[in-house]
Coordinates of all heavy atoms in Angstrom, one line a residue:
M1 N -110.5 -27.1 15.5 CA -110.5 -28.1 16.6 C -110.7 -29.5 15.9 O -111.6 -29.7 15.1 CB -111.7 -27.8 17.5 CG -111.8 -28.8 18.6 SD -113.1 -28.1 19.7 CE -113.5 -29.6 20.5
L2 N -109.8 -30.4 16.2 CA -109.8 -31.7 15.6 C -110.5 -32.7 16.5 O -110.5 -32.5 17.7 CB -108.3 -32.2 15.4 CG -107.5 -31.6 14.3 CD1 -106.1 -32.1 14.4 CD2 -108.1 -31.9 13.0
P3 N -111.2 -33.7 15.9 CA -111.8 -34.7 16.7 C -110.8 -35.6 17.4 O -109.6 -35.6 17.1 CB -112.6 -35.5 15.7 CG -112.4 -35.0 14.4 CD -111.4 -33.8 14.5
R4 N -111.3 -36.3 18.4 CA -110.4 -37.2 19.2 C -109.9 -38.3 18.2 O -110.5 -38.6 17.2 CB -111.2 -37.9 20.3 CG -111.6 -36.9 21.4 CD -112.2 -37.6 22.6 NE -112.8 -38.9 22.3 CZ -114.1 -39.2 22.5 NH1 -114.9 -38.3 22.9 NH2 -114.6 -40.4 22.2
P5 N -108.7 -38.9 18.5 CA -108.2 -39.9 17.7 C -109.1 -41.1 17.4 O -109.2 -41.6 16.3 CB -106.9 -40.4 18.4 CG -106.5 -39.2 19.2 CD -107.8 -38.6 19.6
D6 N -109.9 -41.5 18.4 CA -110.8 -42.6 18.2 C -111.9 -42.2 17.3 O -112.4 -43.1 16.5 CB -111.3 -43.2 19.5 CG -112.1 -42.2 20.3 OD1 -111.8 -41.0 20.3 OD2 -113.0 -42.6 21.1
Q7 N -112.3 -41.0 17.3 CA -113.4 -40.5 16.4 C -112.8 -40.4 14.9 O -113.5 -40.8 14.0 CB -113.9 -39.1 16.8 CG -114.7 -39.2 18.1 CD -115.0 -37.8 18.6 OE1 -114.3 -36.8 18.3 NE2 -116.1 -37.7 19.3
L8 N -111.6 -40.0 14.8 CA -110.9 -40.0 13.5 C -110.8 -41.4 12.9 O -111.0 -41.6 11.7 CB -109.5 -39.3 13.6 CG -109.5 -37.8 13.7 CD1 -108.1 -37.3 13.9 CD2 -110.1 -37.2 12.5
A9 N -110.4 -42.3 13.7 CA -110.3 -43.7 13.3 C -111.6 -44.3 12.9 O -111.7 -45.0 11.8 CB -109.7 -44.6 14.4
Y10 N -112.7 -43.9 13.6 CA -114.0 -44.4 13.3 C -114.4 -43.9 11.9 O -114.9 -44.6 11.0 CB -115.0 -44.0 14.4 CG -116.4 -44.6 14.2 CD1 -116.6 -45.9 14.7 CD2 -117.4 -43.8 13.7 CE1 -117.9 -46.4 14.5 CE2 -118.7 -44.4 13.6 CZ -118.9 -45.6 14.0 OH -120.2 -46.2 13.9
G11 N -114.2 -42.6 11.7 CA -114.6 -41.9 10.4 C -113.7 -42.5 9.3 O -114.3 -42.7 8.2
A12 N -112.5 -42.8 9.5 CA -111.6 -43.3 8.5 C -112.1 -44.7 8.2 O -112.1 -45.1 7.0 CB -110.2 -43.4 9.0
G13 N -112.5 -45.5 9.1 CA -113.1 -46.8 8.9 C -114.3 -46.8 8.0 O -114.5 -47.6 7.1
L14 N -115.2 -45.8 8.3 CA -116.4 -45.7 7.5 C -116.0 -45.3 6.1 O -116.6 -45.8 5.1 CB -117.3 -44.6 8.1 CG -118.2 -45.1 9.3 CD1 -119.0 -43.9 9.8 CD2 -119.1 -46.2 8.9
A15 N -115.1 -44.4 6.0 CA -114.6 -44.0 4.6 C -114.0 -45.1 3.9 O -114.2 -45.3 2.6 CB -113.6 -42.8 4.7
A16 N -113.3 -46.0 4.5 CA -112.7 -47.1 3.9 C -113.7 -48.1 3.4 O -113.6 -48.7 2.3 CB -111.7 -47.8 4.9
L17 N -114.8 -48.3 4.2 CA -115.9 -49.2 3.8 C -116.6 -48.7 2.6 O -117.0 -49.4 1.7 CB -116.9 -49.4 5.0 CG -116.4 -50.2 6.2 CD1 -117.4 -50.1 7.3 CD2 -116.0 -51.6 5.8
V18 N -116.7 -47.3 2.5 CA -117.3 -46.7 1.3 C -116.4 -46.9 0.1 O -116.8 -47.2 -1.0 CB -117.7 -45.2 1.5 CG1 -118.1 -44.5 0.3 CG2 -118.8 -45.1 2.6
A19 N -115.1 -46.6 0.3 CA -114.1 -46.7 -0.8 C -114.1 -48.1 -1.4 O -113.8 -48.3 -2.6 CB -112.8 -46.3 -0.3
L20 N -114.2 -49.1 -0.5 CA -114.2 -50.5 -0.9 C -115.6 -51.0 -1.4 O -115.7 -52.2 -1.7 CB -113.7 -51.4 0.2 CG -112.3 -51.2 0.7 CD1 -112.0 -51.9 2.0 CD2 -111.3 -51.6 -0.4
D21 N -116.5 -50.1 -1.5 CA -117.9 -50.5 -1.9 C -118.5 -51.6 -1.1 O -119.4 -52.3 -1.6 CB -117.9 -50.9 -3.4 CG -117.7 -49.7 -4.3 OD1 -118.1 -48.6 -4.0 OD2 -117.2 -49.9 -5.4
L22 N -118.2 -51.6 0.2 CA -118.8 -52.5 1.1 C -120.1 -51.9 1.7 O -121.1 -52.7 2.0 CB -117.9 -52.9 2.2 CG -116.6 -53.7 1.8 CD1 -115.7 -53.9 3.0 CD2 -117.0 -55.0 1.2
I23 N -120.2 -50.6 1.8 CA -121.4 -49.9 2.1 C -121.6 -48.7 1.2 O -120.6 -48.2 0.7 CB -121.5 -49.5 3.6 CG1 -120.4 -48.5 3.9 CG2 -121.5 -50.7 4.5 CD1 -120.5 -47.9 5.4
E24 N -122.8 -48.2 1.0 CA -123.1 -47.0 0.2 C -122.8 -45.8 1.1 O -123.0 -45.8 2.3 CB -124.5 -47.1 -0.3 CG -124.8 -48.2 -1.2 CD -124.1 -48.1 -2.6 OE1 -124.0 -47.0 -3.0 OE2 -123.8 -49.1 -3.1
W25 N -122.5 -44.7 0.4 CA -122.1 -43.5 1.2 C -123.3 -42.9 2.0 O -123.1 -42.4 3.1 CB -121.5 -42.4 0.3 CG -122.4 -41.8 -0.7 CD1 -122.6 -42.1 -2.0 CD2 -123.3 -40.6 -0.5 NE1 -123.6 -41.3 -2.6 CE2 -124.0 -40.4 -1.6 CE3 -123.6 -39.9 0.7 CZ2 -124.9 -39.3 -1.7 CZ3 -124.5 -38.8 0.6 CH2 -125.1 -38.6 -0.6
P26 N -124.6 -43.0 1.5 CA -125.7 -42.5 2.4 C -125.8 -43.3 3.7 O -126.1 -42.8 4.7 CB -126.9 -42.7 1.6 CG -126.4 -42.7 0.1 CD -125.1 -43.4 0.2
V27 N -125.5 -44.6 3.6 CA -125.5 -45.4 4.8 C -124.4 -45.0 5.8 O -124.6 -44.9 7.0 CB -125.3 -46.9 4.5 CG1 -125.2 -47.8 5.7 CG2 -126.5 -47.4 3.6
A28 N -123.2 -44.7 5.2 CA -122.1 -44.3 6.1 C -122.4 -42.9 6.7 O -122.1 -42.7 7.9 CB -120.8 -44.2 5.2
V29 N -123.0 -42.1 6.0 CA -123.4 -40.8 6.6 C -124.4 -41.0 7.7 O -124.3 -40.3 8.8 CB -124.0 -39.8 5.5 CG1 -124.6 -38.6 6.1 CG2 -122.9 -39.4 4.5
A30 N -125.4 -41.8 7.5 CA -126.4 -42.1 8.5 C -125.8 -42.7 9.7 O -126.1 -42.3 10.9 CB -127.5 -43.0 7.9
I31 N -124.8 -43.6 9.6 CA -124.1 -44.2 10.7 C -123.4 -43.1 11.5 O -123.4 -43.0 12.7 CB -123.2 -45.3 10.3 CG1 -124.1 -46.5 9.8 CG2 -122.3 -45.7 11.4 CD1 -123.2 -47.6 9.1
A32 N -122.7 -42.2 10.7 CA -121.8 -41.2 11.4 C -122.7 -40.2 12.1 O -122.4 -39.8 13.3 CB -121.0 -40.5 10.3
V33 N -123.8 -39.8 11.5 CA -124.7 -38.9 12.2 C -125.3 -39.5 13.5 O -125.4 -38.9 14.5 CB -125.8 -38.3 11.2 CG1 -126.9 -37.6 12.0 CG2 -125.2 -37.5 10.2
G34 N -125.8 -40.7 13.3 CA -126.4 -41.4 14.5 C -125.4 -41.6 15.6 O -125.7 -41.4 16.8
T35 N -124.1 -41.9 15.3 CA -123.1 -42.1 16.3 C -122.8 -40.7 17.0 O -122.6 -40.7 18.2 CB -121.8 -42.6 15.7 OG1 -122.1 -43.9 15.0 CG2 -120.7 -42.8 16.7
A36 N -122.7 -39.6 16.2 CA -122.5 -38.3 16.7 C -123.6 -37.9 17.7 O -123.3 -37.4 18.8 CB -122.3 -37.3 15.6
V37 N -124.8 -38.1 17.3 CA -126.0 -37.8 18.2 C -125.9 -38.6 19.4 O -126.1 -38.1 20.5 CB -127.3 -37.9 17.4 CG1 -128.5 -37.8 18.3 CG2 -127.4 -36.9 16.3
A38 N -125.7 -39.9 19.3 CA -125.7 -40.8 20.5 C -124.5 -40.4 21.4 O -124.7 -40.4 22.6 CB -125.5 -42.2 20.0
S39 N -123.4 -40.1 20.9 CA -122.3 -39.7 21.8 C -122.5 -38.4 22.5 O -122.0 -38.2 23.6 CB -120.9 -39.7 21.0 OG -120.9 -38.7 20.1
E40 N -123.2 -37.5 21.8 CA -123.5 -36.2 22.4 C -124.5 -36.4 23.6 O -124.4 -35.7 24.6 CB -124.1 -35.2 21.4 CG -124.4 -33.9 22.0 CD -125.0 -32.9 20.9 OE1 -124.5 -33.0 19.8 OE2 -125.9 -32.2 21.3
Q41 N -125.4 -37.3 23.4 CA -126.4 -37.5 24.4 C -126.0 -38.4 25.6 O -126.6 -38.5 26.6 CB -127.7 -38.2 23.8 CG -128.4 -37.3 22.8 CD -129.0 -36.1 23.4 OE1 -129.5 -36.1 24.5 NE2 -128.9 -34.9 22.7
H42 N -124.8 -39.1 25.4 CA -124.3 -40.1 26.4 C -124.0 -39.3 27.6 O -123.3 -38.3 27.6 CB -123.1 -40.8 25.8 CG -122.5 -41.8 26.8 ND1 -123.2 -42.9 27.1 CD2 -121.4 -41.7 27.6 CE1 -122.5 -43.6 28.0 NE2 -121.4 -42.9 28.3
G43 N -124.5 -39.8 28.8 CA -124.2 -39.2 30.0 C -125.1 -38.1 30.5 O -125.0 -37.6 31.6
R44 N -126.0 -37.6 29.6 CA -126.9 -36.6 29.9 C -128.2 -37.2 30.5 O -128.7 -38.2 30.1 CB -127.2 -35.8 28.6 CG -127.9 -34.5 28.9 CD -128.1 -33.7 27.7 NE -126.9 -33.4 27.0 CZ -126.8 -32.8 25.8 NH1 -127.9 -32.6 25.1 NH2 -125.6 -32.5 25.3
R45 N -128.7 -36.5 31.5 CA -129.9 -37.0 32.2 C -131.1 -36.7 31.3 O -131.1 -35.7 30.6 CB -130.1 -36.3 33.5 CG -129.1 -36.7 34.5 CD -129.4 -36.1 35.8 NE -128.1 -35.9 36.5 CZ -127.8 -34.8 37.2 NH1 -128.6 -33.8 37.3 NH2 -126.6 -34.7 37.7
P46 N -132.1 -37.6 31.3 CA -133.3 -37.3 30.5 C -133.9 -36.0 30.8 O -134.1 -35.6 32.0 CB -134.3 -38.5 30.9 CG -133.4 -39.5 31.5 CD -132.2 -38.8 32.1
G47 N -134.3 -35.2 29.8 CA -134.9 -33.9 30.0 C -133.9 -32.8 30.3 O -134.2 -31.6 30.4
E48 N -132.6 -33.1 30.4 CA -131.6 -32.1 30.7 C -131.2 -31.4 29.4 O -131.0 -32.0 28.3 CB -130.3 -32.7 31.2 CG -129.3 -31.7 31.6 CD -128.1 -32.4 32.3 OE1 -128.1 -33.6 32.6 OE2 -127.1 -31.7 32.4
N49 N -131.2 -30.1 29.4 CA -130.9 -29.2 28.2 C -129.4 -28.8 28.3 O -129.0 -28.3 29.3 CB -131.8 -28.0 28.2 CG -131.7 -27.2 27.0 OD1 -130.8 -27.5 26.2 ND2 -132.5 -26.2 26.8
S50 N -128.7 -29.0 27.2 CA -127.3 -28.6 27.2 C -127.0 -27.2 27.4 O -126.0 -26.7 27.7 CB -126.6 -29.2 26.0 OG -127.1 -28.6 24.8
A51 N -128.0 -26.3 27.0 CA -127.9 -24.9 27.1 C -128.0 -24.4 28.5 O -127.5 -23.3 28.8 CB -128.9 -24.2 26.2
K52 N -128.6 -25.1 29.4 CA -128.8 -24.7 30.8 C -127.6 -25.1 31.6 O -127.1 -26.2 31.5 CB -130.0 -25.4 31.4 CG -131.3 -24.9 30.8 CD -132.5 -25.4 31.6 CE -132.5 -26.8 32.0 NZ -133.7 -27.3 32.6
P53 N -127.1 -24.2 32.5 CA -126.0 -24.6 33.3 C -126.5 -25.5 34.4 O -127.6 -25.5 34.8 CB -125.5 -23.2 33.9 CG -126.7 -22.3 33.8 CD -127.4 -22.8 32.6
E54 N -125.6 -26.4 34.9 CA -126.0 -27.3 35.9 C -126.2 -26.6 37.2 O -125.4 -25.7 37.6 CB -124.9 -28.4 36.1 CG -124.9 -29.4 35.0 CD -124.0 -30.6 35.4 OE1 -123.9 -30.9 36.6 OE2 -123.4 -31.2 34.5
K55 N -127.2 -27.0 37.9 CA -127.5 -26.4 39.2 C -126.7 -27.3 40.3 O -126.8 -28.5 40.2 CB -129.0 -26.4 39.6 CG -129.8 -25.6 38.6 CD -131.2 -25.6 38.9 CE -132.0 -24.8 38.0 NZ -133.5 -24.9 38.3
S56 N -126.1 -26.6 41.2 CA -125.4 -27.4 42.3 C -126.4 -27.8 43.3 O -127.3 -27.0 43.7 CB -124.3 -26.5 42.9 OG -124.9 -25.4 43.4
S57 N -126.3 -29.0 43.8 CA -127.2 -29.5 44.8 C -126.8 -29.0 46.2 O -125.6 -29.0 46.5 CB -127.1 -31.0 44.7 OG -127.8 -31.6 45.8
P58 N -127.7 -28.6 47.0 CA -127.3 -28.2 48.3 C -126.8 -29.3 49.2 O -126.0 -29.1 50.1 CB -128.7 -27.7 48.9 CG -129.7 -28.3 48.1 CD -129.1 -28.6 46.8
N59 N -127.1 -30.5 48.9 CA -126.6 -31.7 49.6 C -126.0 -32.7 48.6 O -126.7 -33.5 48.1 CB -127.8 -32.4 50.4 CG -127.3 -33.5 51.3 OD1 -126.1 -33.7 51.3 ND2 -128.2 -34.2 51.9
P60 N -124.7 -32.6 48.4 CA -124.1 -33.4 47.4 C -124.1 -34.9 47.7 O -124.1 -35.7 46.8 CB -122.6 -32.9 47.3 CG -122.5 -31.9 48.3 CD -123.8 -31.6 49.0
S61 N -124.3 -35.3 48.9 CA -124.4 -36.7 49.3 C -125.7 -37.3 48.8 O -125.8 -38.5 48.7 CB -124.2 -36.9 50.8 OG -125.2 -36.3 51.5
S62 N -126.7 -36.5 48.5 CA -127.9 -37.1 48.0 C -127.9 -37.4 46.6 O -128.9 -38.0 46.1 CB -129.1 -36.1 48.3 OG -128.9 -34.9 47.5
E63 N -126.9 -37.0 45.8 CA -126.8 -37.3 44.4 C -126.4 -38.7 44.1 O -125.6 -39.3 44.9 CB -125.9 -36.3 43.7 CG -126.4 -34.9 43.7 CD -125.4 -34.0 43.0 OE1 -124.5 -34.5 42.3 OE2 -125.6 -32.8 43.0
A64 N -126.8 -39.3 43.0 CA -126.4 -40.6 42.6 C -124.9 -40.5 42.2 O -124.5 -39.5 41.6 CB -127.3 -41.2 41.5
P65 N -124.2 -41.6 42.4 CA -122.8 -41.6 42.0 C -122.7 -41.6 40.4 O -123.6 -42.1 39.8 CB -122.2 -42.9 42.5 CG -123.4 -43.8 42.8 CD -124.5 -42.8 43.1
P66 N -121.6 -41.0 39.9 CA -121.5 -40.9 38.4 C -121.4 -42.3 37.8 O -120.8 -43.2 38.4 CB -120.3 -40.1 38.2 CG -119.5 -40.1 39.4 CD -120.5 -40.4 40.5
V67 N -121.9 -42.5 36.6 CA -121.7 -43.8 35.9 C -120.4 -43.8 35.2 O -120.1 -42.8 34.5 CB -122.9 -43.9 34.9 CG1 -122.7 -45.2 34.1 CG2 -124.2 -43.9 35.6
P68 N -119.6 -44.8 35.4 CA -118.3 -44.9 34.7 C -118.4 -45.1 33.2 O -119.3 -45.8 32.8 CB -117.6 -46.1 35.3 CG -118.7 -46.9 35.9 CD -119.8 -46.0 36.2
H69 N -117.6 -44.4 32.4 CA -117.6 -44.5 31.0 C -116.8 -45.7 30.6 O -115.7 -46.0 31.2 CB -117.0 -43.3 30.3 CG -117.9 -42.1 30.6 ND1 -119.0 -41.8 29.9 CD2 -117.8 -41.1 31.5 CE1 -119.6 -40.7 30.3 NE2 -118.8 -40.2 31.3
R70 N -117.2 -46.4 29.5 CA -116.5 -47.6 29.1 C -115.8 -47.3 27.8 O -116.1 -46.5 27.0 CB -117.4 -48.7 28.8 CG -118.1 -49.2 30.1 CD -118.9 -50.4 29.9 NE -119.7 -50.6 31.1 CZ -120.4 -51.6 31.3 NH1 -120.5 -52.5 30.4 NH2 -121.1 -51.7 32.4

């Protein structure tokens, strides 16, 4: 399974910065890991566990509207 094109471009950009000695490789790894963790958590409600299936609401009109992604 390949990452999305924007994720590949981001990783290539970090690799280019390391290759040009603009940042050290541990910094690039830390940035990549932080970005991966943040993107995984994006859109998840606080306290929600990814292993649990979502429960359907008996009254869908009482739910908050979804937040649009940018």
Side-chain angles (χ1 to χ4, degrees):
M1 183 171 158
L2 288 174
R4 294 187 333 241
D6 60 329
Q7 292 172 330
L8 283 173
Y10 188 81
L14 282 176
L17 291 174
V18 171
L20 295 170
D21 288 329
L22 295 175
I23 61 173
E24 298 290 327
W25 70 265
V27 175
V29 170
I31 291 170
V33 169
T35 302
V37 169
S39 66
E40 182 179 322
Q41 295 295 324
H42 181 70
R44 196 177 294 171
R45 292 183 211 139
E48 184 178 349
N49 186 353
S50 62
K52 293 190 312 187
E54 283 192 33
K55 295 179 182 178
S56 60
S57 173
N59 185 3
S61 63
S62 67
E63 293 181 11
V67 177
H69 296 281
R70 296 183 190 189

